[in-house]
Amino acid sequence: MNTNTRLHHAKPFGAAVLLVVAILFSTASRAADAPPIPDTLQQRIMACTTCHGVHGEGTPDSGYFPRLAGKPAAYLARQMQDFKNGLRKYAPMEYTVRQLSPAYMQEIAEYFAAQQVPYGRSPLPPVSAATLQRGEQLVSKGDPARQIPACASCHGSQLTGVQPSTPGLVGLPYDYLSAQLGSWRTHTRGTVTPDCMALVANRLSASDITAVAAALASRQLPADTHAQAAGSVTPPLPCGVLGATGDRT
């Protein structure tokens, strides 16, 4: 190949190199001009707040993403651990928490537990008065003949939860409540054994699940929505999340 031929091929190559260098320089310049991303917990939990709201207030209009704000920190941390350990199945949550350490999960849980924001109401599907009456019975009194304890016997007299590990149920969307009860029945949601909620959910019929979800989602919020104090409720069943013997503390 003669000198002219070599120069002919070298010019396009040299121009390409210069173009790449120019692009890299431009990209680096823009990166240097961009404002730094703040290293704050609020910034790092944007994967949570995108679905659950800036303060964990939930997204009532969706009917599915639940409120995190004000729930007991131990409960919130346990849910992240259950997603990470494969006991709860929901791909976006499993992906989000899979690299989180227990300490980081606890930090996130404590952040949302401390949030105090107004509750939103979610749409309720049309249900009959008889369905709501059945739901109120299960929520407040249970069904002793079928060994179904009342929701209030674990989740507190006002369904606002109990410290340190029992969540509130008031203010949750109908779709979320019915989906979670169904998930326990289909083994796509679980927790450490003995799993008392799986036991209860499997004693409910499909119509009972509709009734309970409707009754809870339509309840008026109590004046005080804080979780009850630890020790104020004696669970009727052994629950692994509360201690292997039922956790009377």
Side-chain angles (χ1 to χ4, degrees):
M1 181 181 294
N2 61 36
T3 302
N4 288 338
T5 302
R6 287 197 298 269
L7 289 174
H8 175 75
H9 288 289
K11 286 179 181 179
F13 176 77
V17 170
L18 289 173
L19 179 60
V20 170
V21 170
I23 291 172
L24 291 174
F25 179 80
S26 175
T27 302
S29 177
R30 287 197 301 271
D33 293 339
I37 297 175
D39 185 17
T40 63
L41 181 63
Q42 289 82 356
Q43 178 67 33
R44 286 182 265 123
I45 62 172
M46 285 185 68
C48 308
T49 58
T50 298
C51 293
H52 292 280
V54 174
H55 299 287
E57 65 271 24
T59 50
D61 290 342
S62 77
Y64 190 77
F65 297 110
R67 179 186 178 90
L68 305 180
K71 281 189 165 54
Y75 167 78
L76 295 174
R78 167 57 61 189
Q79 301 317 298
M80 287 185 275
Q81 292 165 12
D82 286 349
F83 279 116
K84 184 174 182 177
N85 295 332
L87 295 172
R88 286 191 70 173
K89 306 291 186 183
Y90 183 59
M93 278 298 304
E94 293 173 73
Y95 177 82
T96 299
V97 303
R98 67 182 182 183
Q99 300 296 332
L100 302 184
S101 68
Y104 198 6
M105 290 182 194
Q106 187 64 33
E107 184 182 3
I108 294 171
E110 289 174 1
Y111 170 81
F112 284 116
Q115 301 303 301
Q116 300 296 324
V117 291
Y119 280 73
R121 304 301 294 187
S122 300
L124 186 68
V127 293
S128 67
T131 296
L132 283 174
Q133 184 178 13
R134 171 61 175 168
E136 275 298 326
Q137 176 193 344
L138 291 168
V139 167
S140 302
K141 298 178 181 178
D143 187 342
R146 291 166 55 194
Q147 295 183 302
I148 300 172
C151 301
S153 65
C154 286
H155 293 272
S157 60
Q158 299 298 309
L159 288 307
T160 56
V162 181
Q163 294 288 358
S165 301
T166 306
L169 302 179
V170 290
L172 288 172
Y174 168 87
D175 287 343
Y176 176 78
L177 290 164
S178 58
Q180 296 313 301
L181 289 169
S183 292
W184 264 300
R185 285 160 56 92
T186 58
H187 309 293
T188 53
R189 178 170 182 173
T191 191
V192 293
T193 57
D195 189 346
C196 52
M197 272 305 307
L199 183 65
V200 171
N202 279 283
R203 291 175 181 172
L204 296 172
S205 66
S207 62
D208 285 340
I209 288 176
T210 297
V212 168
L216 289 171
S218 62
R219 273 209 163 203
Q220 293 299 310
L221 295 171
D224 184 1
T225 57
H226 291 87
Q228 290 182 207
S232 61
V233 166
T234 300
L237 296 171
C239 295
V241 292
L242 304 177
T245 60
D247 190 22
R248 297 330 196 228
T249 61

